[in-house]
């Protein structure tokens, strides 16, 4: 069975409780279930990793080189997560960067992602639906196993 990496950065473990007016009421477990539902038809299993530290996220990326692709919500590490960026630069599969809120409608320091230039695509501002859309994009871009 193929695996899809679902990588979530700092503060995303408290989704549903963290500023629901910005991030919505879906929990990380809800997101994980939604992504699993999207990719089940292809026989993909979701490997979900959420960590508060950049180093642990880097280790997760390095341990996931054999996955079919990744959905990455780096949280605020999008701004200055240079080590995470370097790890993703070496990741041999496509990944989609996801942000729950519309980062360009927020504070100006959120307007640039150091990861986005490496991503296959970026989805912002669609709440938890963005994760489902990222899964669909990866399903469309990763060839089915023969």
């Amino acid at each position: 069975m193929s695996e899809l990496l679902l990588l979530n950065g700092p503060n995303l473990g408290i989704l549903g409780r963290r500023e629901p007016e910005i991030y919505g009421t879906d929990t990380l477990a809800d997101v994980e279930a939604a992504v699993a539902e999207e990719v089940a038809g292809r026989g993909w299993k979701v490997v979900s990793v959420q960590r508060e530290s950049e180093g642990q996220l880097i280790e997760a990326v390095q341990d996931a080189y054999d996955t079919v692709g990744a959905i990455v919500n780096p949280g605020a590490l999008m701004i200055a997560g240079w080590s995470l960026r370097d790890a993703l630069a070496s990741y041999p599969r496509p990944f989609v960067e996801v942000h729950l809120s519309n980062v360009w409608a927020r504070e100006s320091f959120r307007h640039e992602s150091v990861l986005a230039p490496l991503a296959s695509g970026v989805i912002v501002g669609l709440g938890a639906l963005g994760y489902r859309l990222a899964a669909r994009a990866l399903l469309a871009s990763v060839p089915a196993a023969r």
Side-chain angles (χ1 to χ4, degrees):
M1 175 176 283
S2 298
E3 295 180 328
L4 172 71
L5 176 63
L6 176 59
L7 189 70
N8 282 281
N11 298 307
L12 293 165
I14 57 172
L15 286 180
R17 295 181 290 141
R18 177 184 180 215
E19 300 178 89
E21 67 281 1
I22 296 174
Y23 301 107
T25 57
D26 287 319
T27 66
L28 190 54
D30 295 333
V31 167
E32 292 166 355
V35 171
E37 181 180 305
E38 287 293 331
V39 302
R42 180 74 71 89
W44 291 358
K45 176 186 172 198
V46 175
V47 175
S48 184
V49 177
Q50 187 281 320
R51 299 290 183 267
E52 304 301 335
S53 88
E54 187 172 7
Q56 291 175 313
L57 294 169
I58 291 165
E59 289 171 353
V61 170
Q62 292 171 348
D63 290 344
Y65 278 16
D66 60 346
T67 56
V68 295
I71 299 169
V72 179
N73 184 339
L77 288 173
M78 72 176 270
I79 300 162
W82 291 102
S83 296
L84 180 58
R85 182 205 183 281
D86 287 350
L88 287 166
S90 297
Y91 179 68
R93 307 285 185 255
F95 76 91
V96 177
E97 182 176 348
V98 173
H99 296 281
L100 294 157
S101 67
N102 180 349
V103 295
W104 291 284
R106 299 184 63 197
E107 304 91 342
S108 62
F109 70 85
R110 298 181 193 275
H111 294 180
E112 186 172 343
S113 169
V114 299
L115 309 180
L118 303 175
S120 300
V122 179
I123 300 171
V124 302
L126 299 176
L129 174 62
Y131 286 93
R132 280 187 177 270
L133 297 175
R136 291 178 194 169
L138 288 169
L139 286 167
S141 66
V142 173
R146 294 181 184 238

